Amino acid sequence: MTATTDRYAPEAGLDLIHRRPVLDASIEVNFRLAPGDRPLVAIGDAIVPGAPIAERLRDPRVVQLQAGATDDGAKAGDRWAATSQPDTRLRRAHRSEAGELLYEHGDHWAIAAGDHQEPIDSPLAGVVRDVRPGIGIRVQAQGRVLRGVEALGDPTSGRLSLGSDQGDHRHPAGGLRSTSLDVGLAGTILVIGSRVDAEALTRARAMGVRGVIVSGLAGKERRDFQGSEARQRAALHRLPPFAVLVLDGAHRRPIAGPVAAVLEGLVGSTVAIVVDPPALIFDEPGLELAPPPAGHIRVRSGEHAGREGHWAGLAGLRRFAGGTFLESGWVAFGGEAPVAIPLADLERFV
């Protein structure tokens, strides 16, 4: 009798539910570098938001130095400055080049060179942990972290805003439309709901918005945005960095309540979106966030995906769509009767 009572106690089975941290205390961020990009920091350097950490070649090309142009001790990753040897000529060009040595082949070196450089600024404070030319700069970020599943664009920072409709980030049908944007949102990172299209993202960037946080981004919108990003990178005058942080995936659903509570508490604060790994980083020591209730449950997949409720105990082995039998639990949504949902479809925030 005791075992039966424990099995159906409201708190029983919570340890079987996937745990999702709302915030992480620390994170290491990687700023990607391509061959020819020039790091401006060294291991151990402390950086602040807005500090330049590298220079990026906009239109890199691979050229070849003639035999004997470099020193005997040259190695891949070294910077080649043509101005130090103005008489050096290229095998396939009519003028000198400067850039990064890539590899040695036969009697010549391949070099990544370009005519235009642009700065890469850090959107956050931290300490440089590693610098690898042509690969990346790894920084131990200062502040707390809200993780996402994907980030598109470039690392950026701005003042967090809920946009024109402060409730749309919690409403399943809420979203961002190009007609709802105005110049007053320039310099902000917008939190929106579950609906956004590539046109709205492109317009937001053109109007000076620095980033967008969305619960889900469909495949078509993702491809369209990446195409727009490629065209922007090729433009003569580039706009400030812009990023899209996706919190859940490709499906439309509202932002989870515990995550929305964090974002509401950060309104007006300066935050950063980083791409590798995808995350929102903020340094607000005075911000106190209450932990979510222990029995708070969110459905992350399946028929009720996106809904949130309260754990009501184990429901045992149940039959679901397709004739599959799965271990399940009771979840009460508001004043409704509890519904049996597979345990694998549930998550709880810690």
Side-chain angles (χ1 to χ4, degrees):
M1 179 65 69
T2 302
T4 303
T5 303
D6 291 343
R7 173 180 173 82
Y8 292 99
E11 68 278 5
L14 269 177
D15 57 333
L16 301 177
I17 306 301
H18 171 74
R19 293 160 53 94
R20 177 177 171 181
V22 180
L23 296 175
D24 287 337
S26 180
I27 193 175
E28 284 193 350
V29 177
N30 185 55
F31 296 91
R32 301 168 188 168
L33 299 178
D37 295 345
R38 180 184 182 186
L40 300 178
V41 292
I43 297 175
D45 286 353
I47 58 175
V48 297
I53 58 175
E55 290 180 342
R56 173 179 293 153
L57 286 181
R58 290 195 54 187
D59 301 304
R61 59 184 179 273
V62 177
V63 294
Q64 295 177 345
L65 296 176
Q66 69 178 19
T70 61
D71 296 331
D72 292 338
K75 61 183 184 298
D78 286 350
R79 306 301 301 186
W80 170 259
T83 54
S84 64
Q85 297 187 31
D87 58 336
T88 298
R89 296 296 176 181
L90 298 174
R91 185 185 298 274
R92 299 179 181 177
H94 298 291
R95 57 189 177 84
S96 298
E97 296 283 354
E100 178 186 340
L101 297 179
L102 299 181
Y103 56 87
E104 187 177 14
H105 179 68
D107 60 352
H108 59 266
W109 273 91
I111 182 174
D115 297 324
H116 303 287
Q117 294 180 330
E118 57 188 18
I120 300 176
D121 296 334
S122 173
L124 48 83
V127 178
V128 178
R129 296 303 186 195
D130 191 24
V131 178
R132 302 184 67 184
I135 297 178
I137 299 172
R138 186 158 48 87
V139 175
Q140 180 71 48
Q142 177 179 315
R144 287 178 281 180
V145 181
L146 175 65
R147 290 183 180 267
V149 299
E150 183 180 27
L152 307 175
D154 296 314
T156 187
S157 65
R159 178 175 49 85
L160 194 74
S161 172
L162 300 183
S164 57
D165 182 356
Q166 295 190 6
D168 64 5
H169 68 290
R170 287 187 135 185
H171 195 282
L176 179 67
R177 297 176 177 83
S178 59
T179 54
S180 65
L181 294 166
D182 59 67
V183 294
L185 296 174
T188 63
I189 290 179
L190 294 180
V191 179
I192 63 175
S194 56
R195 179 178 300 169
V196 67
D197 55 44
E199 179 184 357
L201 294 176
T202 301
R203 181 175 172 84
R205 177 168 191 169
M207 297 187 69
V209 174
R210 302 301 295 270
V212 166
I213 301 173
V214 63
S215 177
L217 189 66
K220 179 182 182 302
E221 279 68 31
R222 185 183 187 279
R223 291 190 298 271
D224 290 347
F225 174 74
Q226 288 180 319
S228 174
E229 278 288 289
R231 291 189 293 272
Q232 174 58 37
R233 289 179 187 275
L236 182 61
H237 300 289
R238 293 197 61 191
L239 296 173
F242 180 86
V244 179
L245 178 63
V246 183
L247 296 175
D248 284 314
H251 300 288
R252 289 180 177 177
R253 63 192 62 175
I255 295 176
V259 175
V262 173
L263 296 174
E264 287 177 345
L266 289 172
V267 170
S269 300
T270 298
V271 299
I273 295 178
V274 294
V275 177
D276 185 13
L280 180 79
I281 299 177
F282 60 93
D283 188 16
E284 295 289 338
L287 179 64
E288 296 184 1
L289 300 167
H296 184 86
I297 296 294
R298 183 175 188 246
V299 185
R300 58 179 179 172
S301 58
E303 178 184 357
H304 299 278
R307 298 189 69 184
E308 298 180 50
H310 191 80
W311 178 252
L314 290 168
L317 195 64
R318 296 269 172 164
R319 182 176 179 177
F320 294 93
T324 57
F325 288 85
L326 301 170
E327 288 290 342
S328 60
W330 296 110
V331 180
F333 300 110
E336 303 176 12
V339 179
I341 298 177
L343 296 181
D345 289 348
L346 302 177
E347 65 181 357
R348 62 189 179 102
F349 292 86
V350 294

